[in-house]
Amino acid sequence: MITLESVTKLYDTRRGPKTVLDDINLSIDRSEKIGILGRNGAGKSTMIRIISGAERPTQGKVHRSMSVSWPLAFGGAFQTGLTGVDNIRFICRVYGVSTKDKIEIVDNFAELGAYLYEPLQNYSSGMLSRLAFGISMAVDFDCFLIDEVVAVGDARFQEKSRTELFEKRQHKAMIIVSHDPGFIREHCTRVYVLENGKITSFVDVDEAYHCYHRILLLE
Protein backbone atom coordinates (compact mmCIF):
# COMPACT_ATOMS: atom_id res chain seq x y z
CA MET A 1 0.00 0.00 0.00
CA ILE A 2 1.00 3.63 -0.57
CA THR A 3 -0.39 6.18 1.88
CA LEU A 4 -0.14 9.96 1.84
CA GLU A 5 -0.62 11.28 5.37
CA SER A 6 -1.37 15.01 5.70
CA VAL A 7 0.99 15.86 2.84
CA THR A 8 1.50 19.59 2.28
CA LYS A 9 3.83 21.19 -0.27
CA LEU A 10 4.84 24.86 -0.28
CA TYR A 11 7.01 26.69 -2.79
CA ASP A 12 8.70 30.04 -2.16
CA THR A 13 7.78 32.66 -4.76
CA ARG A 14 8.41 36.40 -5.12
CA ARG A 15 4.94 36.97 -3.73
CA GLY A 16 5.57 34.73 -0.74
CA PRO A 17 4.92 31.01 -0.04
CA LYS A 18 2.51 29.27 -2.41
CA THR A 19 0.63 26.20 -1.21
CA VAL A 20 0.41 23.61 -4.01
CA LEU A 21 -0.75 20.65 -1.91
CA ASP A 22 -2.72 21.26 1.29
CA ASP A 23 -3.12 18.41 3.81
CA ILE A 24 -3.51 15.63 1.24
CA ASN A 25 -4.61 12.19 2.48
CA LEU A 26 -5.06 9.21 0.16
CA SER A 27 -4.06 5.57 -0.19
CA ILE A 28 -3.67 3.04 -3.00
CA ASP A 29 -3.69 -0.74 -2.62
CA ARG A 30 -1.89 -3.33 -4.71
CA SER A 31 -3.38 -3.70 -8.21
CA GLU A 32 -5.55 -0.61 -7.72
CA LYS A 33 -5.58 2.07 -10.42
CA ILE A 34 -6.46 5.64 -9.60
CA GLY A 35 -6.61 8.76 -11.74
CA ILE A 36 -5.78 12.35 -10.79
CA LEU A 37 -7.49 15.23 -12.59
CA GLY A 38 -6.75 18.92 -12.30
CA ARG A 39 -6.10 21.98 -14.40
CA ASN A 40 -2.57 22.91 -15.46
CA GLY A 41 -0.57 24.04 -12.44
CA ALA A 42 -2.91 22.43 -9.92
CA GLY A 43 -0.09 20.28 -8.48
CA LYS A 44 -0.70 16.89 -10.14
CA SER A 45 2.90 16.38 -11.25
CA THR A 46 4.17 17.65 -7.89
CA MET A 47 2.08 14.95 -6.17
CA ILE A 48 3.46 12.30 -8.51
CA ARG A 49 7.04 13.37 -7.76
CA ILE A 50 6.38 13.31 -4.01
CA ILE A 51 4.85 9.83 -4.21
CA SER A 52 7.90 8.63 -6.16
CA GLY A 53 10.33 10.13 -3.64
CA ALA A 54 11.88 12.46 -6.22
CA GLU A 55 10.64 15.41 -4.16
CA ARG A 56 9.94 15.79 -0.45
CA PRO A 57 6.75 17.20 1.07
CA THR A 58 7.04 20.33 3.19
CA GLN A 59 4.92 18.61 5.82
CA GLY A 60 3.38 15.16 6.19
CA LYS A 61 4.58 11.71 5.28
CA VAL A 62 4.42 9.19 2.44
CA HIS A 63 4.34 5.54 3.53
CA ARG A 64 5.29 2.91 0.93
CA SER A 65 4.99 -0.83 1.52
CA MET A 66 5.40 -1.62 -2.18
CA SER A 67 8.00 -0.56 -4.71
CA VAL A 68 7.17 2.59 -6.69
CA SER A 69 8.49 3.68 -10.07
CA TRP A 70 9.74 7.16 -10.83
CA PRO A 71 7.31 9.11 -13.03
CA LEU A 72 7.43 7.28 -16.35
CA ALA A 73 9.47 9.08 -19.04
CA PHE A 74 11.00 11.32 -16.33
CA GLY A 75 14.77 11.41 -16.71
CA GLY A 76 15.55 13.83 -13.90
CA ALA A 77 17.69 11.29 -12.01
CA PHE A 78 19.89 10.49 -14.99
CA GLN A 79 23.57 11.42 -15.17
CA THR A 80 23.88 13.23 -18.51
CA GLY A 81 27.64 12.73 -18.72
CA LEU A 82 27.17 8.95 -18.69
CA THR A 83 26.00 6.76 -21.54
CA GLY A 84 22.56 5.18 -21.70
CA VAL A 85 24.07 1.81 -20.77
CA ASP A 86 25.92 3.29 -17.78
CA ASN A 87 22.69 4.92 -16.58
CA ILE A 88 20.92 1.56 -16.81
CA ARG A 89 23.63 0.02 -14.64
CA PHE A 90 23.48 2.96 -12.20
CA ILE A 91 19.69 2.75 -11.75
CA CYS A 92 19.81 -1.03 -11.33
CA ARG A 93 22.30 -0.55 -8.49
CA VAL A 94 20.10 2.13 -6.87
CA TYR A 95 17.08 -0.21 -6.91
CA GLY A 96 19.12 -3.26 -5.93
CA VAL A 97 18.33 -5.34 -9.02
CA SER A 98 20.64 -7.34 -11.24
CA THR A 99 21.74 -5.76 -14.51
CA LYS A 100 21.55 -9.19 -16.17
CA ASP A 101 19.39 -8.93 -19.32
CA LYS A 102 18.26 -5.36 -18.40
CA ILE A 103 20.41 -3.70 -21.09
CA GLU A 104 18.94 -5.97 -23.73
CA ILE A 105 15.38 -5.29 -22.52
CA VAL A 106 15.89 -1.51 -22.62
CA ASP A 107 17.67 -1.71 -25.98
CA ASN A 108 14.81 -3.67 -27.56
CA PHE A 109 12.12 -1.43 -26.12
CA ALA A 110 13.60 2.08 -26.42
CA GLU A 111 14.98 1.48 -29.93
CA LEU A 112 17.91 3.85 -29.44
CA GLY A 113 20.41 1.76 -31.39
CA ALA A 114 23.99 3.04 -31.17
CA TYR A 115 22.84 6.01 -29.07
CA LEU A 116 22.46 3.67 -26.11
CA TYR A 117 26.28 3.83 -25.90
CA GLU A 118 26.42 7.63 -26.24
CA PRO A 119 26.37 10.17 -23.36
CA LEU A 120 22.87 11.38 -22.54
CA GLN A 121 23.91 14.96 -23.27
CA ASN A 122 23.73 13.92 -26.94
CA TYR A 123 20.11 12.73 -26.61
CA SER A 124 17.02 14.58 -27.78
CA SER A 125 14.21 15.00 -25.23
CA GLY A 126 12.27 12.23 -26.99
CA MET A 127 15.20 9.83 -26.83
CA LEU A 128 15.66 10.58 -23.15
CA SER A 129 11.98 9.88 -22.49
CA ARG A 130 12.14 6.57 -24.36
CA LEU A 131 15.20 5.55 -22.35
CA ALA A 132 13.45 6.43 -19.07
CA PHE A 133 10.33 4.53 -20.09
CA GLY A 134 12.40 1.53 -21.21
CA ILE A 135 14.25 1.33 -17.90
CA SER A 136 10.91 1.57 -16.06
CA MET A 137 9.73 -1.48 -18.01
CA ALA A 138 12.95 -3.38 -17.21
CA VAL A 139 12.62 -2.92 -13.42
CA ASP A 140 9.73 -4.82 -11.83
CA PHE A 141 7.81 -2.23 -9.77
CA ASP A 142 4.63 -2.87 -7.77
CA CYS A 143 3.21 0.55 -8.63
CA PHE A 144 3.73 2.69 -11.73
CA LEU A 145 3.40 6.48 -11.74
CA ILE A 146 2.06 7.70 -15.06
CA ASP A 147 2.13 11.38 -16.01
CA GLU A 148 0.77 11.53 -19.60
CA VAL A 149 3.49 9.02 -20.51
CA VAL A 150 1.76 7.48 -23.53
CA ALA A 151 2.33 10.73 -25.42
CA VAL A 152 6.02 9.80 -25.79
CA GLY A 153 7.22 9.05 -29.31
CA ASP A 154 5.32 8.47 -32.54
CA ALA A 155 1.99 6.63 -32.85
CA ARG A 156 3.67 3.23 -33.21
CA PHE A 157 5.82 3.75 -30.11
CA GLN A 158 2.81 5.02 -28.14
CA GLU A 159 0.87 1.88 -28.99
CA LYS A 160 3.85 -0.25 -28.04
CA SER A 161 4.04 1.60 -24.70
CA ARG A 162 0.32 1.06 -24.01
CA THR A 163 0.64 -2.68 -24.67
CA GLU A 164 3.73 -3.02 -22.48
CA LEU A 165 2.22 -1.07 -19.60
CA PHE A 166 -1.53 -1.71 -19.58
CA GLU A 167 -1.68 -5.26 -20.95
CA LYS A 168 1.49 -6.94 -19.72
CA ARG A 169 1.36 -5.13 -16.36
CA GLN A 170 -2.37 -4.95 -15.83
CA HIS A 171 -1.99 -6.57 -12.40
CA LYS A 172 0.18 -3.70 -11.15
CA ALA A 173 -1.01 -0.67 -9.18
CA MET A 174 -1.01 2.61 -11.11
CA ILE A 175 -1.46 6.29 -10.36
CA ILE A 176 -2.38 8.10 -13.55
CA VAL A 177 -2.37 11.82 -14.35
CA SER A 178 -4.12 12.64 -17.63
CA HIS A 179 -6.41 15.19 -19.31
CA ASP A 180 -7.88 12.47 -21.54
CA PRO A 181 -11.30 11.36 -20.19
CA GLY A 182 -11.31 8.19 -22.26
CA PHE A 183 -7.90 7.24 -20.90
CA ILE A 184 -8.98 7.64 -17.28
CA ARG A 185 -12.29 5.83 -17.85
CA GLU A 186 -10.50 2.92 -19.52
CA HIS A 187 -7.91 2.34 -16.83
CA CYS A 188 -9.10 3.76 -13.48
CA THR A 189 -11.68 2.65 -10.92
CA ARG A 190 -11.27 5.66 -8.63
CA VAL A 191 -10.59 9.29 -9.53
CA TYR A 192 -9.38 12.30 -7.56
CA VAL A 193 -9.85 15.93 -8.53
CA LEU A 194 -7.14 18.32 -7.33
CA GLU A 195 -7.96 22.02 -7.00
CA ASN A 196 -6.58 24.82 -4.78
CA GLY A 197 -4.34 22.33 -3.04
CA LYS A 198 -7.27 20.15 -1.91
CA ILE A 199 -8.21 16.73 -3.27
CA THR A 200 -11.66 15.16 -3.65
CA SER A 201 -12.28 11.44 -4.25
CA PHE A 202 -14.88 10.10 -6.72
CA VAL A 203 -15.87 6.49 -7.34
CA ASP A 204 -18.02 7.61 -10.28
CA VAL A 205 -15.65 8.73 -13.07
CA ASP A 206 -18.38 10.74 -14.84
CA GLU A 207 -19.09 12.67 -11.64
CA ALA A 208 -15.38 13.43 -11.32
CA TYR A 209 -15.33 14.82 -14.87
CA HIS A 210 -18.38 17.01 -14.23
CA CYS A 211 -16.49 18.49 -11.27
CA TYR A 212 -13.31 18.87 -13.34
CA HIS A 213 -15.12 20.65 -16.19
CA ARG A 214 -16.78 23.06 -13.76
CA ILE A 215 -13.30 23.98 -12.53
CA LEU A 216 -12.09 24.58 -16.11
CA LEU A 217 -15.06 26.85 -16.82
CA LEU A 218 -14.06 29.06 -13.88
CA GLU A 219 -10.58 29.72 -15.30
Side-chain angles (χ1 to χ4, degrees):
M1 177 180 284
I2 300 168
T3 304
L4 275 65
E5 181 183 329
S6 300
V7 166
T8 296
K9 183 65 179 181
L10 304 177
Y11 289 108
D12 290 326
T13 71
R14 292 181 179 180
R15 298 182 179 180
K18 176 178 175 57
T19 302
V20 178
L21 302 176
D22 186 6
D23 195 30
I24 301 296
N25 294 277
L26 66 83
S27 62
I28 177 171
D29 293 321
R30 290 181 182 272
S31 302
E32 188 177 14
K33 296 170 179 60
I34 70 170
I36 301 175
L37 294 170
R39 58 182 175 79
N40 291 333
K44 304 183 302 298
S45 294
T46 297
M47 184 183 298
I48 287 286
R49 290 195 299 271
I50 288 174
I51 292 171
S52 75
E55 193 167 341
R56 292 179 179 272
T58 306
Q59 297 176 356
K61 296 180 179 179
V62 180
H63 304 281
R64 307 175 188 87
S65 59
M66 54 184 175
S67 61
V68 185
S69 78
W70 54 86
L72 297 192
F74 173 70
F78 287 156
Q79 304 298 311
T80 57
L82 299 179
T83 67
V85 166
D86 287 336
N87 272 280
I88 296 170
R89 294 189 179 112
F90 169 72
I91 288 173
C92 285
R93 287 197 296 272
V94 168
Y95 282 90
V97 299
S98 171
T99 59
K100 183 181 180 181
D101 76 5
K102 298 297 188 294
I103 294 173
E104 182 179 0
I105 291 172
V106 176
D107 187 21
N108 290 336
F109 185 84
E111 302 175 357
L112 294 172
Y115 273 98
L116 196 62
Y117 299 88
E118 292 286 334
L120 266 58
Q121 59 197 18
N122 296 335
Y123 282 35
S124 67
S125 59
M127 293 166 64
L128 191 63
S129 293
R130 296 208 310 273
L131 176 67
F133 194 99
I135 297 176
S136 300
M137 297 299 98
V139 179
D140 189 27
F141 294 107
D142 297 318
C143 178
F144 287 92
L145 305 178
I146 305 166
D147 193 350
E148 297 284 9
V149 68
V150 290
V152 173
D154 58 22
R156 184 190 61 83
F157 190 83
Q158 290 178 28
E159 184 58 33
K160 178 180 179 179
S161 299
R162 286 177 183 268
T163 299
E164 193 71 25
L165 184 59
F166 296 113
E167 293 183 16
K168 296 184 179 180
R169 290 165 179 77
Q170 59 182 318
H171 60 292
K172 301 290 187 178
M174 296 180 188
I175 302 175
I176 302 172
V177 169
S178 178
H179 294 288
D180 183 346
F183 188 57
I184 293 289
R185 284 191 181 95
E186 181 181 0
H187 299 293
C188 299
T189 55
R190 182 156 50 102
V191 182
Y192 289 91
V193 176
L194 180 62
E195 176 64 8
N196 295 326
K198 297 293 187 178
I199 201 164
T200 304
S201 175
F202 295 87
V203 175
D204 187 318
V205 177
D206 288 331
E207 186 180 350
Y209 268 97
H210 288 318
C211 175
Y212 174 53
H213 287 307
R214 285 197 300 271
I215 291 169
L216 294 181
L217 290 173
L218 294 175
E219 288 190 84

